């Protein structure tokens, strides 16, 4: 083949003629240099996103790499400044019209970045320990935070637009309290040998210690006080955070192997230089321990103290002689509240808080303020102290002035200004000034310690990397920011740990930034209407101990929610975060191109379509790449989605303002697979959480057995992606995508049941299996084995079918088979005499290589949209389609010849074609063909017109197309068509193909089935061996000579004949996943395993053997197979022989080879099957509309 | 016998031609057959509509701004001072305004002169001679060569040599090929295709048939916007008449060549003027462009080789075949041959449709043909090429009009829309207007066109509203460059031309808006204030009465005063004052 030399980024590559720049780049392994959003390898290039642009020397325009073909002597740049700038602008433009959230606002609002949405989901499932683990990924102090956190997450919670914010912290508290009683051991990695000193054992230091330990570093904490905890211990009163609880949480960190030196003041007790020289890195997390002076005259009086001093003294047990005294607290923060409530508990006569602004501006938690007032604290607003009044040692009062609010200051709060001539006296005995805290850096600065300090006397450190002016010394928390709250310190500690880890391992500190996140709030006000529907619970309130009781004790005031309340509270979460965030291609590119999340420009919030049971369309996240539209229309031929409007207002939507549910959508979910963002997403709790396990699996719900990847997490199936064995994206239908959900809907059977006094009651497995075995034996003894029916459904694996067969044949001597085969008239034997076996002679892959596809008897789109998609692909590659069907099927646009016949009359059409082909043969056709021809002599145009309703012209066209066929011809026939089959259709099709010889090797018959593993059941020996046995089996059921039945995942209720035949049984055992109609009539009900839980062997309807691992655990104690094997043991059957036989059969099984060996001409007897169903009748058939699997 | 011909093209109808026609038809003289009344298309003097031609044995006289009453007088054969004041042209003499004489009419040759629905008049004026010549005497290759040699370039805007386009399609293997006539004229201010289809549909269809013969196609589509009802009627009539006359259908004019034409109505999406979007629309899909190559000549309508030309291009073809390539090539400039039809609109005195040889200067077009701008105003710029075009300042008025020269200015020839702008036109607002059009008409496919043009529009809106910021011009230029270089079709690639050319030639106006919060043209409402000139105010109180927010104070015969604080800048006082006593500042 000719090649072209193309220069890309200075390197010459050989390009193939007509390939695009992108395909060349992908082929030579530099595809990652060209980002892409609208390109879908399964579809022709579309060229809309323009992030794949590259620059060609000498060409003014940028070239979209996805659609520009290579040309001789091209010199291309994929990463030039111009290219990168254009790509970045494209992304900025896309994001400027993306009014949506990547990450929920709660997580973004949390300084530690805790994945709130996830732990709420875990708590809602009652998985408290998982919730704690989630929190501790970011915050190692959940118990502390569960009590004292200021809850920035709740401030930004979207639920408040509906009613009140989710009580996030209440949930955290319940979960973390549970953890106190159920601590788990954490393992740390092997030591890196790096040593890190942490100066200050408060929340920042403890957090840094935890994360550094989890990285395998050796950590030593130096704490000036006698105990760890910092302000958690000395600044927060016990009634909010009991000591023992704090001790527990600190210990959970220390016991990971953190070395602790308490009572050591670095810089006083041990020189800072020494620490610096002994360790690979130092983290300064000193906190802000000193109370600020109030700058009021006379504040040096011993009756005046700072809030920090006061709380610290109380904690340390000093007697401050508060009882009976009048206390004034100055300030409006949490320390002021803590001090005042503590003073009350120490017996103060009364406590007054003076605050210079109003309640609205108070920085303390509103709940704390309310609690303080409940307890009797008076708060006076707009008052500022001026001077302490004292008579000698005795403080008499505080001269104050009134304030009023003026213009807003730098903090955005309105500045208080004095009201002239408003001085007055507030009498009191003790003044506590809680107006702020300062950092004590003594011993850490100086010549040998060039630690740069800010003008507020805090450590100067970089916000993202935590580095200070001294290499190897990091700092964070209050000593850098000034007094802040616990969760800020935790966030700082984690950031520092990550940066220090990089510093000691690779030598470079690391700026810790959260990944790019789009933010809905950047696009204007959030309206109620745009929020998802949510559980109707109101916000719960934490219970607390009685007010009177509180004042006499330092016992914890607030209590936990009850379990059910916690679950309800967690259930109030709206799951704002985007479920696609972890895999979003748009977000990844925004991250790669360093976009900031700020936007400019107008946008309009579009309503979200949530009407579909499985799929949500959120146009606000759409980038109009139309991969969904093209997948739906061009690949599946459904066209449920399209583009609406023009210009900036263009959106992807179903036409005419409909919801997806109101369209022709077949619920296959391939649009969601195609979506590069979260505009299309799967619904459900399981999907809000990242997948933890991914299993290459198989949809075993119909005979096409599409391969897929099943991702699971602790909530169950998180998503299913259509993925071929080569890892490339393929397609699934609704059955594969959502069949599991449908099968799971309703209550799963997990415990066996047995009939007692007319009612089914739960019992043990042993009891149930014994009753089942004995019941069957009894019937066998009374009526003989042939009065017993052992039958398994088509979803069973070969292994399951094999034990069913052993139970029936070996153990009970029963009639063994599948009701599906009875309902479907046994076409599964129809070619035994022709080929020596019945099965497909070509594979699914041959379908796409065919040049002529003959579709007989059923609509592939209806049965299996994926197969229909493959036909469509074949047509795109130039194949012709002849359809012979009882109605205008979805292939009508594709078929070049359409024969529309009455239901059940296909064989007349086929007979006519076969006769015609033989007649046209030149010369002597031989005796065999002559006999066949003569047998078909009554397949005349006349008869066809009358009985099949087929006009002549169409037949001629079909005949011509067959005669002209070049290349391979594949005939598809649905052997379990819901429309019914006409006699001898398979034989006639086989003869037709035989007559068209010599054809391509890949020509042949593809027998499709909806009854999933029908071929496998046959292979496993569960079906009757041959037509004769099958007829006897079917007859026995029809005659009603069955006295007992053991049904494994069978549902005869939908078929009146079967239902009637099984109406009066002496004994019935049903193995089922859910309580079906037949199960409700059983004497013994055994839980069964289902799709995705059952591993094993399956035989695809083209004869391919497929093996699959279970993706999900079995919810019951025993699997289907376990239960039957146990019964076989009880019946003393040696299973070895049966297993060996089955293995042998599977090993030998290659249906395609088996049926290709020979051909025997039979005499076909085409006719019209009068029982065939019209469309509406067929709709009632259990296998129609492949969307709905039968729950068995 | 007297014959009266009323111009009933859309421009005429808009000016009241139907009333004139109705009055005439009801006259006794007409009903008795003494006077015959027929219709014709647009002769180009749209500013003088309704036009009526009076033909009697002695002369042919053209009257403008004819009222039903005047028409009655004319029908009665009266000539007085009033009728003569409406007389524009007698016989072949120079018209009184000199509008027609500067023109050279090829495409428009029959417009306004023949009855558009009459195939007989078409044949009588030389119609189908070219088709006859092509089919009988020329091979398809020769026809392509004639068109190539004529130097005819695509009149839809791109200016691609028509002969080359034909040769590409001709070189593709058959048997099925298509000819498409692009009649999706969507530029605001452009109406030459509409006039042509209303005034002389046969010449366009004849051009298509000749094209079909030349490239080996048997099917043609006219893609015409549904907003042109009259043109659609004329097309339908013409196609029927041509089928009857053997000019369409099987064995055209007795030859072995067969050709059919269907009319496809477009739903008014501007982007469907782009050829791949147009093809998608005919195919029944959403009108969205696709990446080229493959070009339509290789893979066009229904995947078959397709040649697309616009209305005016096809209308030129019969003339070229009939008169020879050399005759056509003798007109125009070195690289732009023949004539070009322009739709003159905007602040020009004589708006209308003119066809002039290529190479005429902008000044000649605006001043001599168009009569310049209104009295008391100065000619500032022309906006050429519709929303994909750009503004060329008056200083460049001596530029001779051909494809290359226009492109050099940053504008494009386009389909020939020429909007004349004067000193009252704000150039930022002009850019904003045209961008708002393309922005709304984007098909929504490409990121840059869909969102980028919206963001540019927002900046322009901000600037004209007085909220422009430093850096806005640079932001506009940066986005414009990216939209140009990263959009799939012409709509996106050219959408920013109005912005780029106005920044290029009128940057000071942008700066005045942004820095001084002033609109030099005093056009942007938000940047204009109104003041009373005391010397001129007569105290008539009209302005105070007109003011919707009652911020004008002053009593009768006293100088009035406008309180700028409360003024909403609606301009009611300005337009109400009879003494020019209110000015914009």
């Amino acid at each position: 083949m000719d090649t072209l030399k193309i220069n890309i980024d200075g390197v010459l590559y050989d390009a193939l003629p007509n390939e695009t720049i992108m395909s060349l780049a992908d082929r030579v392994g530099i595809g990652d240099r060209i980002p892409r959003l609208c390109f879908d390898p399964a579809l022709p290039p579309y060229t809309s996103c323009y992030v794949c642009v590259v620059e060609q020397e000498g060409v003014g325009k940028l070239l979209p790499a996805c659609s520009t073909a290579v040309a001789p002597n091209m010199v291309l740049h994929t990463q030039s400044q111009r290219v990168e700038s254009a790509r970045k602008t494209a992304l900025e433009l896309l994001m400027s019209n993306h009014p949506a959230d990547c990450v929920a606002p709660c997580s973004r609002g949390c300084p530690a970045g805790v994945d709130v949405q996830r732990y709420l989901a875990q708590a809602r499932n009652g998985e408290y320990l998982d919730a704690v683990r989630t929190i501790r990924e970011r915050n190692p102090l959940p118990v502390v935070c569960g009590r004292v956190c200021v809850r920035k997450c709740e401030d930004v919670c979207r639920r408040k637009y509906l009613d009140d914010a989710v009580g996030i912290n209440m949930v955290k508290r319940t979960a973390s309290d549970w953890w106190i009683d159920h601590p788990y051991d954490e393992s740390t990695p092997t030591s890196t040998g790096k040593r890190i000193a942490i100066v200050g054992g408060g929340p920042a230091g403890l957090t840094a210690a935890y994360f550094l330990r989890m990285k395998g570093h050796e950590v030593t904490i130096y704490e000036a006080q006698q105990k760890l905890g910092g302000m958690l211990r000395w600044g927060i009163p016990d009634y909010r955070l009991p000591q023992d609880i704090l001790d527990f949480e600190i210990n959970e960190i220390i016991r990971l192997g953190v070395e602790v030196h308490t009572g050591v003041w670095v810089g006083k007790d041990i020189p800072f230089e020494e620490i610096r020289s002994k360790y690979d890195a130092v983290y300064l997390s000193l906190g802000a321990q000193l109370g600020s002076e109030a700058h009021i005259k006379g504040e040096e009086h011993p009756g005046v103290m700072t809030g920090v001093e006061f709380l610290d003294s109380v904690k340390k047990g000093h007697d401050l002689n508060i009882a009976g005294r009048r206390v004034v607290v100055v300030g409006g923060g949490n320390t002021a509240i803590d001090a005042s409530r503590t003073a009350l508990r120490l017996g103060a006569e009364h406590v007054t808080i003076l605050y210079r602004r109003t309640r609205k501006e108070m920085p303390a938690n509103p709940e704390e303020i309310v609690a303080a007032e409940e307890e009797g604290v008076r708060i006076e607003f707009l008052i500022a102290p001026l001077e302490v009044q004292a008579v000698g040692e005795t403080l008499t009062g505080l001269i104050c002035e009134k304030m009023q609010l003026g213009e807003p200051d730098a903090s955005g709060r309105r500045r208080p200004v004095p009201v002239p001539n408003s001085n007055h006296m507030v009498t009191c005995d003790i003044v506590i000034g809680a107006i702020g805290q300062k950092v004590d850096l003594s011993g850490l600065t100086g010549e040998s310690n060039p630690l740069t300090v800010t003008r507020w006397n805090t450590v100067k450190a970089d916000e993202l990397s935590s580095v200070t002016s001294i290499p190897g010394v990091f700092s964070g928390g209050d000593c850098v920011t000034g007094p802040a709250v616990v969760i800020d310190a935790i966030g700082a500690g984690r950031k520092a740990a990550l940066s220090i880890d990089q510093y000691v391992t690779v030598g470079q500190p690391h700026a810790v930034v959260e990944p790019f996140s789009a933010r809905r709030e950047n696009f204007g006000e959030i309206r109620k209407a745009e929020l998802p529907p949510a559980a109707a619970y109101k916000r719960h309130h934490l219970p607390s101990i009685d007010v009177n009781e509180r004042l006499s004790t330092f016992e914890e005031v607030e209590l936990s929610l009850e379990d059910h309340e916690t679950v309800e509270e967690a259930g109030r979460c709206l799951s704002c975060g985007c479920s696609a965030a972890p895999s979003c291609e748009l977000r990844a590119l925004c991250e790669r191109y360093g976009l900031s999340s700020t936007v400019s420009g107008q946008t309009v919030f579009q309503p979200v379509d949530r009407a579909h049971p499985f799929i949500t369309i959120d146009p606000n996240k759409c980038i109009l790449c139309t991969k969904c539209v093209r997948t739906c229309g061009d690949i599946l031929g459904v066209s449920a989605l399209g583009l609406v409007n023009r210009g900036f207002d263009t959106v992807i939507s179903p036409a005419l303002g409909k919801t997806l549910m109101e369209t022709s959508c077949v619920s296959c979910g391939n649009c969601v697979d195609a979506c590069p963002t979260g505009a299309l997403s799967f619904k459900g709790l399981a999907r809000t959480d990242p997948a933890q396990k991914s299993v290459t699996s198989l949809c075993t719900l119909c005979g096409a057995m599409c391969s897929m990847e099943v991702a699971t997490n602790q909530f169950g199936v998180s998503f299913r992606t259509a993925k071929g064995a080569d890892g490339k994206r393929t397609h699934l239908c609704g059955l594969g995508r959502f069949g599991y959900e449908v099968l799971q809907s309703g209550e799963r059977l997990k415990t066996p049941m047995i009939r007692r006094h007319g009612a089914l009651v739960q019992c043990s497995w042993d009891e149930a299996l014994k009753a089942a075995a004995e019941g069957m034996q009894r019937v066998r003894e009374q009526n003989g084995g042939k009065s017993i029916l052992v039958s398994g459904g088509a979803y069973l694996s070969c292994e399951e079918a094999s034990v069913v067969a052993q139970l029936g044949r070996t153990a009970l001597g029963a009639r063994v088979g599948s009701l599906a085969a009875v309902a479907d008239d046994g076409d599964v034997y129809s070619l035994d005499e022709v080929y020596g076996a019945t099965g497909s002679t070509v594979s699914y892959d041959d379908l796409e290589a065919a040049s002529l596809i003959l579709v007989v008897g059923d609509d592939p789109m209806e049965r299996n949209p994926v197969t229909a998609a493959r036909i469509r692909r074949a047509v795109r590659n130039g194949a012709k389609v002849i359809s012979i069907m009882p109605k205008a099927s979805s292939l009508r646009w594709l078929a070049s010849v359409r024969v529309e016949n009455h239901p059940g009359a296909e064989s007349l059409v086929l007979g006519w074609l076969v006769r015609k082909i033989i007649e046209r043969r030149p010369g002597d056709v031989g005796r065999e063909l002559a006999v066949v021809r003569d047998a078909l002599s009554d397949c005349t145009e006349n008869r066809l017109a009358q009985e099949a309703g087929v006009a002549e012209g169409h037949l001629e066209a079909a005949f011509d197309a067959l005669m002209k066929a070049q290349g391979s011809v594949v005939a598809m026939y649905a052997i379990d068509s819901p429309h019914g089959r006409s006699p001898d259709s398979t034989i006639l099709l086989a003869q037709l193909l035989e007559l068209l010889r010599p054809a391509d090797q890949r020509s042949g018959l593809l027998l499709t089935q909806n009854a999933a593993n029908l071929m496998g059941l046959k292979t496993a020996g569960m079906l009757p061996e041959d037509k004769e046995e099958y007829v006897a089996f079917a007859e026995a059921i029809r005659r009603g000579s069955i006295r007992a039945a053991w049904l494994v995942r069978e549902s005869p209720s939908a078929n009146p004949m079967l239902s009637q035949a099984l109406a009066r049984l002496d004994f019935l055992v049903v193995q089922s996943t859910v309580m079906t109609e037949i199960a409700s009539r059983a004497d013994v009900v055994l839980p069964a395993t289902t799709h995705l839980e059952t591993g094993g062997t399956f035989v695809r309807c083209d004869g391919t053997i497929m093996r699959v691992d279970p993706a999900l655990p079995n919810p019951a104690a025993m699997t289907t197979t376990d239960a039957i094997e146990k019964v076989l043991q009880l019946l003393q059957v040696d299973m070895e022989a049966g297993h060996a036989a089955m293995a042998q059969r599977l090993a030998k099984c290659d249906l395609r080879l088996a049926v290709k060996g020979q051909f025997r001409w039979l005499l076909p007897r085409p006719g019209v099957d009068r029982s065939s169903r019209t469309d509406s009748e067929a709709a009632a058939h259990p296998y129609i509309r492949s969307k709905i699997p039968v729950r068995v | 016998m007297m014959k009266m011909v009323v111009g009933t093209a859309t421009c005429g109808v808009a000016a009241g031609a139907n009333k004139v026609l109705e009055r005439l038809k009801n006259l006794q003289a007409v009903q008795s057959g003494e006077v015959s009344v027929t219709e014709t298309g647009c002769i180009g003097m749209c500013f003088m509509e309704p036009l009526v031609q009076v033909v009697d044995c002695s002369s042919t006289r053209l009257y403008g701004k004819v009222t039903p009453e005047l028409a009655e007088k004319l029908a009665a054969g009266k000539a007085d001072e009033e009728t003569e004041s409406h007389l524009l042209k007698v016989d072949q003499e120079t018209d009184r305004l000199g509008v027609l004489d500067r023109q050279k009419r090829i495409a428009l040759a029959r417009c306004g002169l023949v009855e558009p629905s009459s195939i007989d008049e078409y044949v009588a004026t030389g119609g189908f001679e070219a088709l006859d010549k092509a089919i009988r005497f020329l091979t398809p290759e020769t026809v392509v060569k004639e068109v190539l040699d004529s130097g005819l370039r695509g009149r839809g805007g791109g200016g691609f040599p028509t002969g080359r386009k034909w040769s590409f399609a001709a070189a593709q293997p058959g048997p099925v090929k298509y000819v498409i006539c692009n009649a999706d004229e969507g530029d605001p201010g452009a109406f030459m295709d509409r006039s042509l289809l209303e005034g002389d549909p046969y010449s366009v269809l004849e051009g298509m048939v000749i094209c079909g013969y030349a490239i080996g196609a048997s099917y043609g589509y006219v893609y015409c916007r549904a907003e042109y009802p009259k043109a659609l009627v004329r097309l339908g009539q013409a196609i029927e008449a041509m089928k009857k006359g053997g000019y369409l259908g099987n064995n055209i004019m007795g030859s072995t060549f067969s050709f059919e034409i269907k009319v496809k109505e477009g739903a008014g999406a501007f982007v469907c003027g782009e050829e791949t979007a147009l093809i998608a629309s005919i195919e029944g899909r959403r009108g969205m462009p696709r990446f080229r190559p493959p070009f339509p000549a290789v893979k066009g309508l229904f995947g078959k080789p397709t040649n697309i030309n616009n209305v005016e291009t096809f209308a030129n073809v019969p003339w070229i075949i009939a008169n020879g390539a050399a005759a056509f090539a003798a007109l125009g400039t070195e690289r732009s041959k023949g004539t070009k039809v322009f739709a003159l609109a905007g602040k020009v005195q004589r708006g209308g449709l003119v066809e002039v040889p290529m190479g005429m200067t902008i000044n000649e077009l605006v001043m001599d043909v168009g009569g310049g701008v209104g009295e008391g105003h100065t000619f500032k710029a022309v906006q050429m090429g519709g929303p994909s075009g750009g503004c060329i300042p008056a200083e460049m008025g001596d530029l001779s009009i051909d494809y290359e020269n226009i492109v050099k200015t940053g504008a494009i020839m386009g389909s020939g829309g020429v909007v004349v702008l004067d000193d009252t036109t704000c150039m930022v607002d002009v850019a904003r207007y045209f961008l708002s059009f393309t922005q709304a008409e984007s098909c929504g496919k490409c990121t840059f066109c869909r969102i980028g043009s919206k963001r540019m529009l927002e900046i322009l809106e901000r600037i004209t509203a007085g909220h422009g910021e430093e850096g806005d011009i640079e932001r506009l230029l940066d986005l414009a460059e990216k939209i140009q270089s990263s959009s799939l079709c012409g709509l996106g690639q050219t959408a920013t031309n109005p912005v780029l050319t106005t920044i290029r030639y009128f940057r000071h106006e942008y700066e005045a808006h942004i820095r001084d919060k002033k609109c030099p043209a005093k056009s942007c409402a938000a940047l204009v204030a109104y003041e009373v000139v005391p010397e001129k105010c007569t105290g008539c109180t009209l302005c105070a009465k007109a003011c919707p927010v009652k911020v004008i104070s002053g009593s009768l015969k006293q100088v009035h005063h406008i309180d700028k604080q409360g003024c909403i800048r609606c301009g009611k006082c300005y337009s109400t004052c009879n003494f020019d006593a209110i000015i914009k500042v």
Side-chain angles (χ1 to χ4, degrees), chain A residues 917-928:
Chain A
I917 294 172
I918 300 175
E919 281 173 2
R920 291 281 173 91
R921 284 223 159 171
D924 184 11
V925 295
R927 203 186 63 84
E928 273 180 329

Side-chain angles (χ1 to χ4, degrees), chain A residues 787-862:
Chain A
S787 71
I788 301 175
L789 168 71
V790 175
S791 179
Y795 295 149
L796 297 186
S797 70
C798 293
E799 288 76 5
E800 287 173 329
S802 171
V803 291
V804 173
Q806 288 182 58
L807 175 71
R809 291 185 204 283
T810 321
L812 300 173
R815 296 189 186 278
V816 186
S818 178
L819 298 182
V822 178
D824 293 327
D825 300 338
D827 250 354
V828 74
Y829 304 96
S830 61
L831 295 176
D832 285 3
E833 282 186 73
V834 178
Y835 290 132
T838 301
S840 301
T841 65
V842 288
S843 84
Y844 262 100
D845 295 336
D846 294 329
L847 194 58
E848 282 181 59
S851 61
L852 180 70
I853 300 172
L854 186 62
V855 184
V856 182
D858 201 7
D859 184 347
M861 188 67 208
E862 199 168 65

Side-chain angles (χ1 to χ4, degrees), chain A residues 46-50 61-62 67-68 82 85-86 89 93 96 600-602 623-624 643 645-648 650, chain B residues 268-269 286 288 291 439-442 444-448 450-451 454-455 458 481-482 485-488 493:
Chain A
Y46 177 69
T47 327
S48 75
C49 71
Y50 274 86
K61 281 173 56 181
L62 296 176
S67 48
T68 307
R82 181 167 175 227
S85 165
T89 305
L93 289 172
S96 76
S600 63
Q602 301 147 13
I623 57 166
L624 268 78
L643 288 160
N645 300 334
R646 259 185 253 165
F648 184 71
T650 312
Chain B
R286 180 181 161 96
M288 287 174 99
F291 188 78
Q439 192 281 124
E441 289 294 339
S442 160
K445 186 174 182 178
C446 302
T447 303
F448 281 97
R450 179 178 77 247
I451 311 175
K454 169 81 172 172
R455 299 297 171 236
E458 284 167 358
E481 191 279 319
K482 285 169 175 159
S485 66
S486 301
S487 290
L488 192 58
Q493 288 163 13

Side-chain angles (χ1 to χ4, degrees), chain A residues 357-561:
Chain A
R357 290 182 164 103
T358 69
R359 183 185 294 268
K360 222 177 97 193
E361 286 84 25
M362 273 180 92
N365 287 5
E367 290 86 349
E368 294 288 319
I369 300 170
V370 170
E373 287 183 315
E374 275 175 6
E375 290 169 7
V377 174
R378 274 187 58 210
I379 309 178
E380 292 193 23
F381 298 102
L382 294 167
I383 306 273
L386 287 174
E387 190 179 344
V388 174
Q389 291 287 297
V391 181
E393 286 290 289
T394 315
L395 198 147
T396 57
L398 201 53
I399 297 177
C400 301
E401 65 180 342
K402 290 192 176 160
M403 311 295 279
Q404 58 191 9
L405 292 183
E407 290 297 303
D409 63 9
S411 71
R413 298 181 302 177
R414 291 173 68 189
R415 185 194 305 277
V417 289
V419 176
N421 306 319
S422 62
N423 288 9
H424 62 285
M425 175 84 162
V426 177
T427 53
C428 61
D429 308 312
I430 291 170
V431 173
I432 300 172
I435 58 148
Q437 281 139 251
K438 293 189 302 187
V439 184
D440 188 347
L441 291 174
S442 38
L444 295 174
T445 52
E447 252 170 52
S448 52
N449 293 307
L451 190 67
T452 308
V453 172
T454 68
R455 64 190 167 104
W456 300 280
N457 197 43
T458 58
V459 179
K460 193 168 160 76
D462 181 74
E463 197 192 337
L464 300 177
S465 64
S466 312
V467 296
T468 65
S469 54
I470 307 175
V473 176
F474 298 75
S475 184
D478 283 3
C479 68
V480 169
T481 59
V485 292
V486 178
I487 193 70
D488 290 316
I490 292 169
R494 179 177 159 275
K495 274 186 188 170
L498 299 182
S499 183
I500 292 168
D501 171 60
Q502 290 293 300
Y503 176 76
V504 295
T505 51
V506 300
Q508 274 295 321
H510 171 63
V512 183
V513 282
E514 294 293 330
F516 174 87
S517 266
R519 292 156 187 251
R520 168 65 187 86
E521 61 267 25
N522 287 347
F523 296 85
E525 202 181 325
I526 293 152
R527 288 158 307 156
K528 210 170 166 174
E530 68 189 66
L531 296 172
Y537 303 112
K538 291 269 169 252
R539 182 181 165 111
H540 289 87
H541 291 282
L542 279 187
S544 54
I545 57 171
D546 186 71
V547 175
N548 297 325
E549 213 177 303
R550 287 188 216 166
L551 291 175
S552 57
T553 166
F554 276 89
E555 287 296 302
E556 194 166 17
V557 169
E558 288 187 328
L559 308 170
S560 278
L561 292 182

Side-chain angles (χ1 to χ4, degrees), chain A residues 1030-1082:
Chain A
Y1030 161 74
V1031 171
F1033 169 80
E1035 265 310 292
I1037 296 170
R1038 286 204 185 91
R1039 272 201 324 272
S1041 63
I1042 298 299
R1043 311 295 310 163
W1046 185 305
L1047 304 179
V1048 189
R1049 302 193 61 204
E1050 288 274 32
S1051 179
S1053 318
N1055 184 313
M1057 187 275 290
L1058 291 177
S1059 198
Q1060 207 181 348
L1062 300 175
R1064 286 215 174 75
L1065 295 174
D1066 296 342
F1067 191 68
L1068 173 62
V1069 179
V1070 171
Q1071 272 181 285
S1072 179
T1073 58
V1074 289
M1075 203 60 193
T1076 57
E1077 193 274 336
I1078 190 78
S1080 71
R1081 291 196 268 132

